[in-house]
Amino acid sequence: MKIVIQRVSEASVSIEGNRVAEIGKGLLILVGIVNEDTQEDINWLCNKIINLRIFPDENGVMNTSLKASKGDVILVSQFTLHASTKKGNRPSYIKAAKPDVAIPLYEKFKERLQDVLEKPIQTGMFGADMKVRLLNDGPVTIIIDSKNRD
């Protein structure tokens, strides 16, 4: 599982002109899933997300976690995170899990993240053509691959 975390002052997701998710201060998290991903990947990433100290403390130093800052989350599925660009100019998405594998893992990821954050999170819609707006705060953008945790 690969994620891109963006610390935001605000973010929203719209589908066909309808806003389906909107937050103020928090994280916009893009998630890409491969066939090999498991509950272990989900658990590790969720723990990392809520404890990653990327919010400013009282001195303006990035030393506060999402959980401590009480920030919100929008979770958006994005199979293009697993694009291969080794050959030619058209990316290949062969590594990305098909919906029958990816959707259940995405839902488990959402549920687990809500559980560890102890509050609801907002989402886009799996497989939809989404318009994502964000005001990146910092900017702070972090990429984490659960397969590179050792």
Side-chain angles (χ1 to χ4, degrees), residues 6-146:
Q6 296 183 324
R7 188 180 78 188
V8 298
S9 297
E10 59 186 62
S12 65
V13 177
S14 297
I15 300 172
E16 296 179 3
N18 298 311
R19 190 161 287 173
V20 298
E22 183 174 22
I23 63 169
K25 181 185 82 162
L27 298 178
L28 171 68
I29 302 172
L30 308 174
V31 58
I33 299 168
V34 294
N35 288 325
E36 299 78 22
D37 289 329
T38 66
Q39 187 67 48
E40 186 178 332
D41 295 288
I42 292 169
N43 293 343
W44 184 83
L45 281 170
C46 288
N47 187 55
K48 184 63 79 174
I49 290 165
I50 68 159
N51 292 303
L52 201 60
R53 297 184 330 189
I54 58 173
F55 289 90
D57 63 15
E58 61 279 352
N59 297 316
V61 177
M62 285 198 301
N63 201 26
T64 304
S65 69
L66 174 65
K67 192 165 187 169
S69 73
K70 299 185 182 353
D72 292 319
V73 173
I74 294 180
L75 182 66
V76 176
S77 63
Q78 190 168 3
F79 73 94
T80 60
L81 292 179
H82 289 288
S84 173
T85 57
K86 287 183 180 182
K87 293 183 183 177
N89 293 317
R90 182 178 179 159
S92 169
Y93 305 107
I94 198 157
K95 290 182 181 179
K98 301 286 187 244
D100 62 320
V101 171
I103 291 172
L105 286 170
Y106 175 76
E107 291 298 325
K108 287 179 182 178
F109 190 93
K110 174 188 161 193
E111 291 167 11
R112 178 68 180 152
L113 190 54
Q114 287 182 146
D115 288 347
V116 296
L117 195 53
E118 299 176 338
K119 67 191 257 184
I121 63 167
Q122 297 190 45
T123 64
M125 181 183 292
F126 190 95
D129 181 17
M130 296 174 272
K131 305 302 179 209
V132 179
R133 293 183 184 266
L134 67 132
L135 182 56
N136 194 318
D137 181 20
V140 175
T141 302
I142 297 173
I143 301 168
I144 304 174
D145 189 330
S146 66

